[in-house]
Amino acid sequence: MKGIVLKNIKLNDKYYHMIINSKEFCLKVSAGQFFMIQPKEFDYIYDPLLRRPFGVCDIDDNKENFSLLYMVVGKGTKLLTTIREGVEIDFSQPIGNSFTILKNKKVAIVGGGIGIAPLFFLAKELKKNSCDVTIYFGGQSSEDIVFTDEFSKYSDRLVITTNDGSVGIKGFVTKPFEDDIENFDFVYSCGPKKMLEAVSKISVEHSKPVEVSLDERMACGLGACLGCIVYVREGGDVVQKRCCVEGPIFDGSKVLWESVCR
Amino acid sequence: MKGIVLKNIKLNDKYYHMIINSKEFCLKVSAGQFFMIQPKEFDYIYDPLLRRPFGVCDIDDNKENFSLLYMVVGKGTKLLTTIREGVEIDFSQPIGNSFTILKNKKVAIVGGGIGIAPLFFLAKELKKNSCDVTIYFGGQSSEDIVFTDEFSKYSDRLVITTNDGSVGIKGFVTKPFEDDIENFDFVYSCGPKKMLEAVSKISVEHSKPVEVSLDERMACGLGACLGCIVYVREGGDVVQKRCCVEGPIFDGSKVLWESVCR
Amino acid sequence: MHKLLNINLCGVEFKNPIIAASGTFGYGLEYSNFIDLNRLGGISVKGISLNEVKGNPMPRIMETSAGMLNAIGLQNVGVEKFVKDKLPLLRRYNTKIIVNFWGKTLDEYIEVAKILDREDVDMLEMNISCPNIKEGGIAFGTDPKMTYDVVYNCKKVMNSKPLVVKLSPNVTNIKIFGKVAEEAGADAISAINTLLGMAININTRRPFLSNVTGGLSGPAIKPVAVRMVYELYKTINIPIIGIGGIMDYRDVVEFYLAGASAVQVGTANFVNPEIPLKIIDDLESYCLKNSIENISDIKGKVITN
Amino acid sequence: MHKLLNINLCGVEFKNPIIAASGTFGYGLEYSNFIDLNRLGGISVKGISLNEVKGNPMPRIMETSAGMLNAIGLQNVGVEKFVKDKLPLLRRYNTKIIVNFWGKTLDEYIEVAKILDREDVDMLEMNISCPNIKEGGIAFGTDPKMTYDVVYNCKKVMNSKPLVVKLSPNVTNIKIFGKVAEEAGADAISAINTLLGMAININTRRPFLSNVTGGLSGPAIKPVAVRMVYELYKTINIPIIGIGGIMDYRDVVEFYLAGASAVQVGTANFVNPEIPLKIIDDLESYCLKNSIENISDIKGKVITN
Ligand SMILES: Cc1cc2nc3c(=O)[nH]c(=O)nc-3n(C[C@H](O)[C@H](O)[C@H](O)COP(=O)(O)OP(=O)(O)OC[C@H]3O[C@@H](n4cnc5c(N)ncnc54)[C@H](O)[C@@H]3O)c2cc1C
Ligand SMILES: Cc1cc2nc3c(=O)[nH]c(=O)nc-3n(C[C@H](O)[C@H](O)[C@H](O)COP(=O)(O)OP(=O)(O)OC[C@H]3O[C@@H](n4cnc5c(N)ncnc54)[C@H](O)[C@@H]3O)c2cc1C
Ligand SMILES: Cc1cc2nc3c(=O)[nH]c(=O)nc-3n(C[C@H](O)[C@H](O)[C@H](O)COP(=O)(O)O)c2cc1C
Ligand SMILES: Cc1cc2nc3c(=O)[nH]c(=O)nc-3n(C[C@H](O)[C@H](O)[C@H](O)COP(=O)(O)O)c2cc1C
Ligand code: FES
Ligand code: FES
């Protein structure tokens, strides 16, 4: 697919927000899905080579534009920051499974750092379906805490934590979440793997269903390369799932965390 | 060296003109010299890898800005077109030898296609030194004929030819040049190697001194890689010259054309 | 439709010489939602073995400059499931099916070859060059005697299908392996598989791949691949399928000039699944523009005097 | 000044482990107008032979994806002129001088080694891996017996200087060559030289290099180089100088973790002559930031369990 970059805004030194116009994409996508994007304007440049995966952060109400919230970490994301408004960019269809969208439930959303990106779209969908939404949003420090106004709009409670205490509660995001867990029917999470593992364990201990969005390194995003395997318990067996097409959303209670975390 | 890109103007589908601010560069450069430029904004991208050589096309009267006139042929030059005004760009010092700047002589300047680039700077210098300058400027077709107003300003006669006759005289630029050759004391040329060979032969036949600017593929532009060798007669011997540091300007009567042309 | 691009490889008619490379195209079906598989000349499926293989632990892939490293470890469903579950679905498409296969032992190679030879596939491609498994794989591809044995013995049990032998670039002299495979009965050679490489994460001080080393593919390796195809073309008489870093039609022409009779597109499928189709279109235009009646006319036509 | 980066290689003290790679730095002097040579750990000069060599016809270089091909053909002024004209000028700089050398025959290797051993240079680096000349060069580097003979015989005539042997990556098993060189008396190994590659101009249908094939260098080959250094480190006990695609300090750290005791920077010098100096600065900061007392502390420290 192709679409025009409408905005590519620097939020702070670490995060950017890009809005792309594509009705075709918006009509297909659901919360939790991601896409692969060519992190450069030119297809004849082979460094960086592969497309990069990003979660869908938001869709406008007219279903014409979608956005990605991205953190600058390496070559690809650095180059993404230089893409100018008005440029046509190449990306894949929406890929993967999506979060379960419940109705009229009390849900917790736990996001860590850039893991917050696909949770915005999720919160919006859950609110539309009359859920009571509590968002736990944790970061290293204040610059990781972005989009708070928007998150307030799509949640009933927004709990912010930072490791250095620069905004919100000082400490890990899992702490306030664990304190409140008995209030919830369902838990959603995205963020660093260590955090997802903790969120899943806490949820399991309290017998709460939990869905996590996993980021594995990806080459194809099509289910072909077998580079993005996640090990999951199914019945009594451990089975291999391709994070790109059979994920990125997994039942947190089933994931073999020891094979994932590094 | 580094400098700010002040302009990067599309002249037509084939040619661009870039102006870079760098007093340091301007104070050192003389007509016929070239420089290597990183054809991208980012040094952590390794495709394209090497810097690209370009002749110096013009220097402003305050010696603050210099320009390059470039033809879009491959990856590097395509990327060059995307460099935005205001961006800081990395380039080498002025490299190589330079054209002999005569005083009060009648000179012919023969340029073919993009070979015209360094000849503009040359014409300006020769005019400053009270030479009578005739410029022969040949191209495939009308889009190769750029900067004619400026060339008129720095020449006493401007003869334009195109292979397809779309502007100027139809045919090769060497024809009108050969017709007039007896009028000149000295010949300068830059352009396709076949043309340089022809210009050199004609000059030698009429016992006119001739200087040509040669384009060899270059990796380092420093004299280190030995990738840009030109074979030249010196005394009775044939010697190897590095086009980058011992050129790019050669005595056209001395060049071993059979080893150069391909 | 594609007269300019029709080729015959060991008696099999391909509508065009663009084949999806093994391991980069799954079982083909993965791509069916993204591109029209009917347009491809052929598909070489992920390397099949006698029994199901789970592959290496994660992480298995890493990008490098103009290339990528992989150590998937030949994960596959095994020949039985492949034939039962994947092949019938794949056969619905009008494209040639090449089955890439391998074994941990000589007997496994023979067994898989025997099974596949009876099935509805167009060609077999023997992988003796995978750098990412401990047993078998690359050992068969880096010792001429073992290469001879495995090719000879598989060919002996095959009655109907052409056998392509896929060579490893991790050798001092690829000509020897081409020659040996030819002598042992190979109907064609494909070259190259990946170069053995390694990358280390300086923050964790661990290799980026759990397997420590992996196979390097992509544009970075194209010059090595073109050189090897050229060397093979001067040495052997059976056709060569050129592989390595092909990203556009120009690369295909380059491999043809070096001596290839067809090509496989690998890593490019990851970069953008539409690349093979674009190559087919562009290659056709190229032939038209250059008055080339059939792409085979330029095979080996590099001028080196 | 650079305590963090001081290293001792075969008894020679380097102020830092960043050495300019042979063939990419001329005779050093070419760079003296662009950078302060005194800051470099060392310079490995362009491969020197007994007699002057004019090299291959043009064209000799071509860029490829994240790399370049060269077939310079070891053009050099010959050992006599080098010693008379270049060495005295180079010696004015406070940096270690490694003389890369080669021969067309065993006798030539020995002769050059003998001459250089008596001169005011710090180390000799034997090139048995240049892919771009017909005689000698790579033949010595792809046959273990020849490798042994040339190393053993050169070492025998050398009394004072350490001998580094530079290996070719164009072999099935580099460990064998490392082992053989060590047994024959090499004091250190440098790896790797260029990979043999080829590129064809589809418009002219001619190879981009007059020599048809050439040596591939640059970031494209880094994964192969790191893998080979890692393999060598596990096999031999003499120090390894890591070479191949180094562009920044992170690459240097990667080679160290794989097992290198020093590195050479090659193609990067063409990309920007200031790269080696930037690497030195950045490497120092890296050591400080990570509380590494001396860069050697991380040698071979890749974690592979
Ligand atoms: C399903 C999914 C959704 C994602 N959503 C987002 C998002 O919404 N916002 C965001 O900022 N980031 C997201 N990421 C992570 C993002 O893809 C990486 O940060 C990005 O690819 C890094 O590219 P780079 O070139 O800057 O870094 P480099 O380190 O130069 O990348 C090198 C290679 O590693 C891969 N890679 C590196 N880090 C990661 C990672 N953490 N996960 C997967 N692949 C990686 C790249 O794809 C590439 O192939 C997501 C990842 C996945 C798998
Ligand atoms: C001394 C000198 C002065 C030059 N002055 C100008 C000028 O003023 N304006 C202009 O438009 N062009 C000039 N050129 C040619 C210009 O350098 C090439 O067109 C440019 O490098 C092509 O780069 P690319 O990436 O677009 O093409 P690619 O084909 O992708 O380049 C691949 C490689 O080949 C080299 N290369 C390709 N073509 C040439 C060529 N004709 N000459 C030298 N190297 C080449 C590149 O440097 C690069 O390493 C000059 C060349 C030299 C040697
Ligand atoms: C992820 C991945 C998996 C691969 N798996 C196989 C395989 O199963 N069998 C095989 O013969 N080659 C396999 N290869 C090698 C490719 O078929 C091809 O030879 C190689 O990647 C070079 O081509 P490229 O540069 O176009 O990718 C694999 C390559 C990659 C990148
Ligand atoms: C133009 C060029 C010339 C070279 N000449 C020599 C040489 O004379 N002797 C030698 O041992 N290696 C030579 N090399 C190989 C380099 O020293 C180095 O081993 C190789 O380029 C890989 O390192 P890099 O990727 O950093 O360039 C040459 C490389 C290049 C690019
Ligand atoms: S990224 Fe290729 S299979 Fe998932
Ligand atoms: S370009 Fe390297 S010596 Fe001239």
Side-chain angles (χ1 to χ4, degrees):
Chain A
M1 289 189 183
K2 282 178 193 292
I4 303 290
V5 174
L6 300 181
K7 291 237 147 48
N8 192 8
I9 305 161
K10 182 175 179 164
L11 303 178
N12 58 40
D13 281 348
K14 235 165 142 180
Y15 297 99
Y16 279 70
H17 188 221
M18 181 185 277
I19 303 177
I20 300 174
N21 174 261
S22 170
K23 215 179 170 73
E24 194 189 351
F25 185 94
C26 293
L27 290 173
K28 288 189 177 177
V29 71
S30 27
Q33 287 193 296
F34 71 100
F35 61 101
M36 305 287 288
I37 192 166
Q38 181 180 298
K40 51 190 175 176
E41 288 182 29
F42 309 101
D43 58 10
Y44 52 83
I45 301 294
Y46 302 139
D47 180 29
L49 181 64
L50 300 167
R51 298 195 290 190
R52 302 296 195 245
F54 294 96
V56 178
C57 173
D58 195 14
I59 301 284
D60 72 346
D61 293 333
N62 300 329
K63 301 209 170 199
E64 286 185 345
N65 308 320
F66 69 99
S67 80
L68 57 151
L69 177 66
Y70 62 98
M71 185 167 81
V72 180
V73 297
K75 281 187 184 191
T77 45
K78 262 191 219 164
L79 269 185
L80 260 192
T81 68
T82 70
I83 291 183
R84 296 161 289 182
E85 292 168 11
V87 162
E88 195 182 52
I89 197 164
D90 204 285
F91 47 88
S92 72
Q93 303 177 12
I95 309 173
N97 62 4
S98 42
F99 287 115
T100 306
I101 305 298
L102 299 171
K103 273 187 210 259
N104 305 312
K105 297 283 179 186
K106 296 188 84 173
V107 301
I109 293 181
V110 190
I114 187 63
I116 204 69
L119 299 179
F120 186 75
F121 188 8
L122 172 67
K124 232 173 150 178
E125 293 292 295
L126 290 169
K127 276 315 292 174
K128 271 195 212 152
N129 285 278
S130 317
C131 285
D132 176 275
V133 177
T134 307
I135 298 180
Y136 299 88
F137 183 1
Q140 296 282 338
S141 118
S142 61
E143 70 172 348
D144 295 310
I145 309 302
V146 295
F147 271 18
T148 44
D149 288 357
E150 290 86 345
F151 273 112
S152 302
K153 222 166 107 187
Y154 296 106
S155 64
D156 299 281
R157 275 160 302 278
L158 175 60
V159 181
I160 288 170
T161 68
T162 50
N163 297 0
D164 65 1
S166 51
V167 286
I169 307 168
K170 185 177 162 120
F172 287 124
V173 71
T174 40
K175 176 71 174 61
F177 160 66
E178 184 162 20
D179 293 344
D180 304 344
I181 184 149
E182 285 306 336
N183 302 336
F184 303 118
D185 302 315
F186 205 94
V187 179
Y188 302 94
S189 190
C190 184
K193 286 164 185 168
K194 286 253 170 262
M195 186 199 88
L196 296 182
E197 182 175 9
V199 168
S200 298
K201 283 209 172 124
I202 295 165
S203 304
V204 168
E205 274 162 25
H206 295 81
S207 307
K208 306 293 180 189
V210 53
E211 282 184 355
V212 299
S213 173
L214 282 178
D215 285 6
E216 285 299 327
R217 231 184 269 154
M218 292 181 178
C220 71
L222 292 165
C225 73
L226 307 180
C228 64
I229 299 296
V230 174
Y231 292 82
V232 171
R233 274 182 219 89
E234 219 175 65
D237 296 338
V238 169
V239 297
Q240 296 182 314
K241 299 282 182 189
R242 290 163 299 176
C243 184
C244 60
V245 289
E246 287 146 327
I249 314 300
F250 292 90
D251 179 341
S253 70
K254 302 271 172 67
V255 172
L256 241 79
W257 290 105
E258 59 279 21
S259 76
V260 168
C261 282
R262 354 152 211 142
Chain B
M1 290 188 182
K2 283 178 190 292
I4 304 289
V5 174
L6 299 181
K7 292 237 147 51
N8 192 8
I9 305 161
K10 184 176 178 161
L11 302 178
N12 58 41
D13 281 349
K14 235 166 142 179
Y15 296 98
Y16 279 71
H17 188 221
M18 181 185 276
I19 303 178
I20 300 173
N21 174 261
S22 172
K23 216 180 170 74
E24 195 190 351
F25 185 95
C26 294
L27 289 175
K28 285 189 179 177
V29 69
S30 28
Q33 286 192 298
F34 70 100
F35 60 101
M36 305 288 288
I37 193 167
Q38 180 179 298
K40 50 189 176 180
E41 286 182 30
F42 310 101
D43 57 11
Y44 53 84
I45 302 294
Y46 302 139
D47 180 29
L49 181 65
L50 300 168
R51 298 195 290 191
R52 303 296 195 245
F54 294 96
V56 178
C57 174
D58 195 14
I59 301 283
D60 72 345
D61 293 335
N62 299 331
K63 300 207 170 198
E64 288 185 345
N65 308 321
F66 70 100
S67 81
L68 56 153
L69 177 67
Y70 63 99
M71 185 165 80
V72 180
V73 297
K75 283 188 182 189
T77 45
K78 264 192 217 162
L79 270 184
L80 259 192
T81 67
T82 70
I83 291 183
R84 296 161 291 182
E85 292 167 11
V87 161
E88 195 181 55
I89 197 165
D90 203 286
F91 48 87
S92 71
Q93 303 178 11
I95 309 173
N97 61 3
S98 43
F99 287 116
T100 306
I101 305 298
L102 298 171
K103 274 187 206 239
N104 305 311
K105 296 283 177 186
K106 298 188 82 175
V107 301
I109 293 181
V110 190
I114 188 61
I116 205 69
L119 299 179
F120 186 75
F121 188 10
L122 172 67
K124 234 173 147 177
E125 293 293 295
L126 289 169
K127 277 313 295 174
K128 272 196 210 150
N129 284 277
S130 317
C131 285
D132 176 275
V133 177
T134 307
I135 298 180
Y136 299 88
F137 183 1
Q140 297 281 339
S141 119
S142 61
E143 71 172 347
D144 295 310
I145 308 301
V146 295
F147 272 19
T148 42
D149 287 357
E150 290 85 344
F151 273 113
S152 301
K153 222 166 108 188
Y154 296 106
S155 64
D156 298 281
R157 273 160 303 278
L158 174 61
V159 182
I160 288 169
T161 68
T162 52
N163 297 1
D164 65 3
S166 52
V167 287
I169 306 167
K170 185 179 162 114
F172 288 124
V173 69
T174 39
K175 175 74 174 60
F177 160 67
E178 183 163 19
D179 292 345
D180 303 344
I181 184 152
E182 286 305 338
N183 301 336
F184 304 118
D185 302 315
F186 206 91
V187 178
Y188 302 94
S189 189
C190 184
K193 285 165 185 167
K194 286 253 169 264
M195 186 199 89
L196 295 182
E197 182 175 7
V199 168
S200 298
K201 283 212 174 119
I202 294 165
S203 303
V204 170
E205 275 163 24
H206 295 81
S207 308
K208 306 290 179 187
V210 52
E211 282 184 354
V212 298
S213 173
L214 282 178
D215 285 6
E216 286 300 326
R217 232 184 270 153
M218 291 181 180
C220 69
L222 292 166
C225 73
L226 308 180
C228 65
I229 300 296
V230 173
Y231 292 82
V232 171
R233 271 182 223 92
E234 219 173 66
D237 296 337
V238 170
V239 298
Q240 296 181 316
K241 298 282 182 188
R242 291 163 299 176
C243 186
C244 60
V245 289
E246 287 146 328
I249 314 300
F250 290 91
D251 178 340
S253 70
K254 301 270 172 69
V255 172
L256 240 79
W257 290 103
E258 58 280 20
S259 75
V260 168
C261 284
R262 2 156 204 140
Chain C
M1 210 181 119
H2 289 292
K3 286 249 167 104
L4 300 162
L5 303 184
N6 283 170
I7 59 153
N8 181 309
L9 205 62
C10 315
V12 180
E13 296 285 343
F14 286 73
K15 73 181 83 162
N16 65 61
I18 309 302
I19 302 165
S22 178
T24 67
F25 215 70
Y27 302 108
L29 306 164
E30 291 84 348
Y31 281 83
S32 60
N33 289 328
F34 300 95
I35 63 165
D36 180 3
L37 298 181
N38 297 303
R39 294 200 51 215
L40 292 175
I43 294 171
S44 175
V45 300
K46 177 75 197 164
I48 302 290
S49 53
L50 192 56
N51 302 307
E52 184 176 354
V53 167
K54 297 285 185 192
N56 289 323
M58 292 283 290
R60 296 174 167 189
I61 50 171
M62 186 58 204
E63 184 168 315
T64 63
S65 298
M68 65 176 281
L69 285 169
N70 90 79
I72 305 300
L74 290 174
Q75 176 175 347
N76 78 96
V77 295
V79 68
E80 197 183 308
K81 262 203 204 147
F82 169 73
V83 167
K84 214 174 88 235
D85 300 345
K86 306 289 180 184
L87 193 53
L89 298 175
L90 198 47
R91 263 304 177 210
R92 294 191 196 156
Y93 298 93
N94 176 19
T95 185
K96 298 301 166 191
I97 307 301
I98 302 176
V99 185
N100 185 279
F101 74 102
W102 61 282
K104 290 184 181 162
T105 61
L106 181 58
D107 286 343
E108 272 188 35
Y109 269 105
I110 296 171
E111 192 57 29
V112 184
K114 208 189 282 177
I115 298 171
L116 288 170
D117 187 56
R118 292 191 301 251
E119 298 298 333
D120 181 22
V121 305
D122 296 296
M123 278 182 155
L124 269 60
E125 181 178 54
M126 176 191 285
N127 178 4
I128 51 170
S129 44
C130 181
N132 299 326
I133 46 164
K134 292 220 174 53
E135 307 143 294
I138 206 162
F140 289 96
T142 51
D143 174 341
K145 170 90 182 60
M146 285 177 79
T147 301
Y148 186 91
D149 285 350
V150 70
V151 175
Y152 179 82
N153 285 295
C154 286
K155 192 62 197 170
K156 223 170 51 180
V157 299
M158 291 171 58
N159 298 313
S160 55
K161 305 282 154 59
L163 177 65
V164 184
V165 176
K166 185 163 176 181
L167 298 183
S168 169
N170 302 295
V171 296
T172 310
N173 188 343
I174 196 150
K175 289 171 277 184
I176 294 176
F177 293 87
K179 196 86 204 132
V180 159
E182 182 177 36
E183 280 165 8
D187 299 291
I189 294 294
S190 54
I192 59 174
N193 209 316
T194 52
L195 282 167
L196 192 57
M198 175 175 179
I200 302 171
N201 182 337
I202 67 165
N203 298 318
T204 63
R205 297 193 181 171
R206 288 182 180 279
F208 274 110
L209 304 180
S210 73
N211 191 49
V212 182
T213 60
L216 182 64
S217 63
I221 70 167
K222 195 185 70 173
V224 175
V226 171
R227 185 260 298 182
M228 288 186 163
V229 168
Y230 173 74
E231 289 179 339
L232 287 167
Y233 184 70
K234 289 194 301 177
T235 311
I236 60 177
N237 297 307
I238 51 178
I240 301 156
I241 304 175
I243 319 173
I246 293 176
M247 297 295 290
D248 66 18
Y249 82 95
R250 282 184 227 101
D251 300 328
V252 176
V253 174
E254 193 175 353
F255 273 96
Y256 257 94
L257 291 170
S261 293
V263 297
Q264 289 182 15
V265 176
T267 303
N269 297 311
F270 302 159
V271 173
N272 191 331
E274 285 168 23
I275 287 178
L277 304 189
K278 183 161 166 30
I279 290 179
I280 294 166
D281 290 339
D282 291 349
L283 200 59
E284 202 165 39
S285 309
Y286 167 82
C287 288
L288 280 174
K289 228 184 266 166
N290 292 274
S291 311
I292 294 166
E293 278 177 37
N294 182 280
I295 184 73
S296 308
D297 297 348
I298 64 167
K299 183 176 69 184
K301 287 291 196 312
V302 60
I303 307 164
T304 55
N305 55 28
Chain D
M1 212 180 119
H2 289 292
K3 283 245 168 106
L4 301 161
L5 303 184
N6 282 169
I7 60 155
N8 180 311
L9 205 62
C10 314
V12 180
E13 298 285 343
F14 286 72
K15 72 181 82 162
N16 65 61
I18 309 302
I19 302 165
S22 178
T24 68
F25 216 71
Y27 301 108
L29 306 165
E30 291 83 347
Y31 280 83
S32 60
N33 290 328
F34 300 95
I35 63 166
D36 179 3
L37 299 180
N38 297 305
R39 295 201 49 216
L40 292 174
I43 294 171
S44 175
V45 300
K46 178 74 196 162
I48 302 290
S49 53
L50 191 57
N51 304 307
E52 184 176 353
V53 167
K54 297 284 186 192
N56 289 323
M58 293 282 291
R60 295 175 168 189
I61 51 171
M62 186 58 205
E63 184 167 316
T64 63
S65 298
M68 66 174 281
L69 285 169
N70 90 78
I72 305 299
L74 290 176
Q75 176 175 345
N76 79 93
V77 296
V79 68
E80 196 183 310
K81 261 202 205 149
F82 169 73
V83 168
K84 214 175 86 225
D85 300 344
K86 307 288 180 183
L87 192 53
L89 298 176
L90 199 47
R91 264 302 177 212
R92 295 192 195 156
Y93 298 93
N94 176 16
T95 186
K96 298 300 166 189
I97 306 303
I98 302 176
V99 185
N100 184 280
F101 74 101
W102 61 283
K104 289 184 182 163
T105 61
L106 181 57
D107 287 344
E108 272 187 35
Y109 269 105
I110 299 171
E111 191 57 30
V112 184
K114 206 188 284 176
I115 296 171
L116 288 169
D117 187 56
R118 292 189 301 250
E119 298 298 332
D120 180 24
V121 305
D122 296 296
M123 280 183 154
L124 268 60
E125 180 178 54
M126 177 192 285
N127 178 4
I128 52 170
S129 44
C130 180
N132 299 326
I133 46 162
K134 291 218 176 55
E135 307 141 296
I138 206 162
F140 288 97
T142 53
D143 175 340
K145 170 91 183 62
M146 283 177 81
T147 301
Y148 187 92
D149 285 350
V150 70
V151 175
Y152 180 82
N153 284 296
C154 285
K155 192 64 199 171
K156 223 170 52 181
V157 299
M158 291 170 59
N159 298 314
S160 54
K161 305 283 153 57
L163 176 65
V164 184
V165 175
K166 185 163 178 181
L167 298 183
S168 170
N170 302 294
V171 296
T172 311
N173 188 342
I174 196 149
K175 290 170 276 185
I176 293 176
F177 292 88
K179 195 87 204 129
V180 160
E182 182 177 34
E183 282 164 9
D187 299 291
I189 294 293
S190 53
I192 60 175
N193 210 314
T194 53
L195 282 166
L196 193 56
M198 174 173 176
I200 302 172
N201 182 336
I202 68 166
N203 298 320
T204 62
R205 298 192 178 173
R206 288 181 181 278
F208 274 111
L209 304 180
S210 71
N211 192 49
V212 182
T213 60
L216 182 64
S217 63
I221 70 167
K222 195 185 69 171
V224 175
V226 171
R227 185 260 297 181
M228 290 187 163
V229 167
Y230 173 73
E231 290 180 338
L232 287 167
Y233 184 70
K234 289 194 303 177
T235 312
I236 59 177
N237 297 309
I238 51 178
I240 301 156
I241 304 175
I243 320 173
I246 293 176
M247 297 295 291
D248 65 19
Y249 82 95
R250 284 184 225 99
D251 301 328
V252 175
V253 174
E254 193 176 355
F255 273 96
Y256 257 93
L257 291 170
S261 294
V263 298
Q264 289 182 15
V265 175
T267 303
N269 297 311
F270 301 159
V271 172
N272 191 331
E274 284 166 23
I275 287 179
L277 303 190
K278 182 160 167 28
I279 291 179
I280 294 166
D281 290 339
D282 290 349
L283 200 60
E284 202 165 38
S285 309
Y286 167 83
C287 288
L288 281 174
K289 230 184 264 167
N290 291 276
S291 312
I292 295 167
E293 276 178 38
N294 183 280
I295 184 73
S296 308
D297 297 349
I298 63 167
K299 183 176 69 186
K301 286 292 194 312
V302 62
I303 308 165
T304 55
N305 54 27

